[in-house]
Amino acid sequence: MELRVILAASLAHGMTHALELAFAALLVRIGAEFGAGLSLLGVIANVGTLTFGATALPSGWLTDRFGPRAVITGALATAAGFAVVVAVAPNLVVLGTALALLGAAIGLYHP
């Protein structure tokens, strides 16, 4: 049982950071796809990072209230959904909104 918990926690933690850093790794390609400059893409990236940090604060309270399994499951399921929206975003507004919500979801997991 310990091994399963360690493996699940490690995979979830890795997925959280992969989702956090994927936009930065693809920034130039995304800019070319949408015809956006690096300044605008930087603003969009910062919104996702800010929501990542902002939801870390209430995650402790949520975990105390609903339990760690429910918070982690909810955070990862929500993150998966918003990752799909990010992948199919037709414009920068949808992309920015989805990245902000993705950041909020993975911010709940991390602490």
Side-chain angles (χ1 to χ4, degrees):
M1 182 62 167
E2 281 184 18
L3 182 60
R4 285 179 49 202
V5 170
I6 291 169
L7 182 61
S10 298
L11 289 173
H13 191 100
M15 186 188 88
T16 297
H17 285 292
L19 287 170
E20 178 188 11
L21 299 173
F23 182 73
L26 299 170
L27 192 66
V28 174
R29 178 70 179 114
I30 291 169
E33 183 76 22
F34 289 109
L38 292 178
S39 297
L40 177 58
L41 293 170
V43 169
I44 293 171
N46 280 318
V47 171
T49 302
L50 287 172
T51 58
F52 176 80
T55 56
L57 297 173
S59 67
W61 178 82
L62 290 169
T63 299
D64 289 344
R65 180 154 168 91
F66 300 108
R69 176 174 270 178
V71 173
I72 289 171
T73 302
L76 294 177
T78 304
F82 286 122
V84 170
V85 176
V86 167
V88 299
N91 57 52
L92 287 175
V93 174
V94 173
L95 177 67
T97 303
L99 281 170
L101 294 169
L102 175 62
I106 61 176
L108 289 174
Y109 168 78
H110 197 262

